[in-house]
Amino acid sequence: MPEHELTASPRDFLCEHTPSKSRVLALLTHDDGPDSLQAVLTCRDPELAHRAAELLRRILSRAVGALLEESVDGLCGQLPDAPASSLRRAVAHVLAGTWPTAAGTLIAWPEGSAHEEPDQEDGADSEGSGEDDQALESAGSVRGAARLRDLPGQVVRITSLREFHVHDRQALLGAAGEQGWESMPADQLDADDPHDVVGAVMWLADPPVYVDGADALTECSHISLLRRDKGDEVAEWSAEPVVADFGPGRRAAKAGESPDHSPGEELPDFAALFPVEPPHCEDPECEEENCLWQLTPRTVDLLHTALSLLADEAYEDAEELGDGRLVPDEHEGSWGVFPRLPKLTFATDLQWRRRFARAADDLADDLERGHWPRPTCTAEELALHLAIDDAGDSADEIGDDSDGTGHGTHSTLPTHRDDYDFGACTDMFFQDTDVLMLYSSRFDGIEDPDGDVNRQLGVGDLRAQAWFEPFGNVRARDPHRGFRR
């Protein structure tokens, strides 16, 4: 069995009954191995278990009116606390289209096994091989990391455009609420959308779609609230093409491949935003202004990319983790961001994780405006530390290729002796590095502002719930700025 976590999708829900109890089971499928059953909840009432399975099955199939016939809250109110909580989590997983599984609960095909479709040897009987090949193809044995050239079947991409005119806000919010949607906290809502109408429409209108005989490789959306004062117009009356940019592939970014930007995409001109002057001389001790450290366009470009990728991964991981506790032994290596944070953050919820993703976005926005990324809260400090580490790794990949050949637009940026000096970035961007003490067992409890060591060192409140409180000596972010996704 693999030691890493595998991502599965629910296909059906079944019941198992014994004289003393009933269980609801999820039939899970994944690209790396056979289907498997996993327990969803256990209760003593067989009728309640059957209704729970039917409810999950109807949500999975997106049957019209399914949640009106049997509401999640209504059924959970009849279940004991533990199975009710399990049912709510299962509903969230079904709506997300993915089912988190602990390490070792799914079986992966061994490398070189018959399921890897090895070449036939020694003139093996070819009769019926066409049927076998067809069976393999129809079984959907597609690897999640496969490229187009690796996929034996055809791949269909559908780009759709849908606009909804909300003519009855209360009806919309009520319908979304009946299907399990909860509005974002009031202090996190944008002034343009104080009732979270966008969130309600997303919940109702964008469920995962299951196609028989096909596996979904990618599901993503681009959501925006149209505003006349920003020049927006409905698609039918738009004088300009309506386009959406989904950005580079996540796997390509992790593999170190340079993203190809979409035609017409407006990229930050870091050469203009962060102009540099040639050094006055080669003496490292020279204190002339031109010889002091400068934040260069190439350094900014790598740092901006690192922050943007960090935010993207954090948003995606937050949706998959939800409110669940992160368990290092289960999740190490399977998630891009949150296992890298101090352990005191492992029990945070979905909203906290989304706010951390936004912290990385805020710092990337600073660079896009030509400003140094000055953290305004503890979350931004940690996000910037992670991004500096990632940007340093990217610089190592560029290596001796000082011209950046093969690294897209990065190669067009001017060079400077201060390029990729991320040690200087750490020295210049932070007021202190107290947050890094949270990684050391020597400082266990240092996060508590009432602790003796904390007060002696003047560290301040480093508990997870205080990570988004603005520092007293900086300008706070706009609390109504909303989220990018």
Side-chain angles (χ1 to χ4, degrees):
M1 293 185 183
E3 296 182 355
H4 64 282
E5 180 174 302
L6 298 171
T7 301
S9 300
R11 291 294 183 181
D12 199 2
F13 292 91
L14 310 168
C15 275
E16 177 190 48
H17 302 290
T18 68
S20 61
K21 62 184 179 181
S22 295
R23 290 201 304 171
V24 176
L25 304 171
L27 177 62
L28 305 179
T29 184
H30 68 114
D31 295 333
D32 298 293
D35 292 354
S36 179
L37 290 173
Q38 181 169 313
V40 176
L41 62 87
T42 302
C43 66
R44 295 184 180 277
D45 190 327
E47 180 184 352
L48 290 178
H50 174 74
R51 287 165 55 190
E54 283 296 309
L55 175 62
L56 291 169
R57 188 178 294 119
R58 289 174 180 172
I59 299 174
L60 182 62
S61 64
R62 298 301 184 272
V64 177
L67 291 179
L68 299 180
E69 297 174 14
E70 179 79 272
S71 73
V72 177
D73 290 339
L75 184 53
C76 287
Q78 301 176 57
L79 288 166
D81 290 345
S85 176
S86 297
L87 178 59
R88 292 185 188 279
R89 287 198 300 271
V91 169
H93 297 332
V94 174
L95 291 171
T98 59
W99 196 278
T101 57
T105 58
L106 294 177
I107 298 175
W109 300 125
E111 288 190 16
S113 71
H115 303 283
E116 292 291 326
E117 298 182 290
D119 295 334
Q120 291 184 343
E121 299 179 5
D122 302 327
D125 184 7
S126 61
E127 287 189 11
S129 62
E131 294 180 1
D132 293 341
D133 293 342
Q134 187 177 11
L136 283 171
E137 185 172 341
S138 64
S141 55
V142 177
R143 301 296 179 264
R147 292 175 176 267
L148 185 60
R149 64 173 179 260
D150 303 321
L151 301 174
Q154 297 170 305
V155 175
V156 178
R157 175 183 294 167
I158 299 175
T159 304
S160 61
L161 172 64
R162 294 190 293 170
E163 295 176 334
F164 295 88
H165 170 217
V166 180
H167 57 82
D168 189 335
R169 187 180 68 206
Q170 292 304 320
L172 170 78
L173 299 179
E178 289 178 354
Q179 296 199 17
W181 169 78
E182 294 182 2
S183 174
M184 291 172 54
D187 62 347
Q188 299 301 318
L189 291 172
D190 188 40
D192 293 334
D193 188 16
H195 302 285
D196 200 10
V197 168
V198 171
V201 171
M202 289 173 61
W203 186 272
L204 290 170
D206 196 28
V209 176
Y210 297 96
V211 179
D212 290 340
D215 291 321
L217 301 179
T218 304
E219 292 186 29
C220 55
S221 302
H222 185 279
I223 312 296
S224 60
L225 185 66
L226 300 187
R227 290 181 46 177
R228 292 176 57 192
D229 59 338
K230 290 186 176 181
D232 294 333
E233 182 54 274
V234 295
E236 289 293 322
W237 286 95
S238 177
E240 300 294 330
V242 179
V243 297
D245 178 16
F246 294 103
R250 180 179 176 183
R251 292 186 184 276
K254 285 187 174 181
E257 297 182 10
S258 178
D260 292 327
H261 297 285
S262 302
E265 180 182 356
E266 186 175 348
L267 301 175
D269 185 356
F270 291 131
L273 291 170
F274 293 89
V276 291
E277 297 291 338
H280 170 264
C281 63
E282 296 300 323
D283 181 3
E285 303 298 327
C286 178
E287 296 187 359
E288 289 287 335
E289 183 176 356
N290 288 1
C291 282
L292 299 179
W293 180 78
Q294 300 179 61
L295 180 57
T296 70
R298 291 195 171 211
T299 303
V300 170
D301 186 44
L302 293 189
L303 187 56
H304 178 267
T305 298
L307 286 165
S308 299
L309 289 175
L310 188 74
D312 285 338
E313 292 183 353
Y315 277 121
E316 293 173 13
D317 291 354
E319 291 301 320
E320 294 191 50
L321 277 170
D323 294 328
R325 182 183 182 88
L326 193 151
V327 182
D329 292 339
E330 296 180 5
H331 298 132
E332 187 73 34
S334 298
W335 308 95
V337 176
F338 296 110
R340 301 172 64 187
L341 303 188
K343 292 181 179 179
L344 61 84
T345 67
F346 288 179
T348 53
D349 59 13
L350 170 63
Q351 188 63 18
W352 190 98
R353 290 163 178 151
R354 283 178 53 79
R355 294 179 74 183
F356 185 85
R358 184 174 63 179
D361 266 340
D362 288 337
L363 293 166
D365 289 342
D366 288 343
L367 293 173
E368 291 180 13
R369 292 193 294 267
H371 303 313
W372 281 19
R374 302 283 196 184
T376 67
C377 62
T378 302
E380 290 184 20
E381 282 189 327
L382 213 294
L384 187 54
H385 278 298
L386 296 181
I388 287 175
D389 288 343
D390 294 343
D393 291 341
S394 297
D396 291 340
E397 292 175 5
I398 295 175
D400 296 331
D401 184 9
S402 60
D403 292 333
T405 303
H407 291 83
T409 57
H410 187 78
S411 62
T412 66
L413 296 172
T415 60
H416 192 275
R417 74 176 185 184
D418 290 332
D419 286 341
Y420 317 134
D421 188 351
F422 292 105
C425 289
T426 300
D427 294 336
M428 303 298 292
F429 294 160
F430 299 96
Q431 300 184 51
D432 57 62
T433 58
D434 292 346
V435 68
L436 299 182
M437 290 191 290
L438 296 176
Y439 288 104
S440 174
S441 59
R442 294 176 49 218
F443 295 105
D444 283 348
I446 191 69
E447 70 275 6
D448 186 354
D450 295 325
D452 292 339
V453 177
N454 184 300
R455 286 187 292 180
Q456 290 175 5
L457 298 178
V459 171
D461 194 349
L462 294 181
R463 294 173 297 178
Q465 62 265 34
W467 274 33
F468 304 99
E469 294 297 323
F471 297 144
N473 59 349
V474 298
R475 183 178 180 180
R477 307 279 185 187
D478 179 5
H480 302 296
R481 63 194 181 280
F483 294 82
R484 175 166 59 89
R485 51 184 288 189

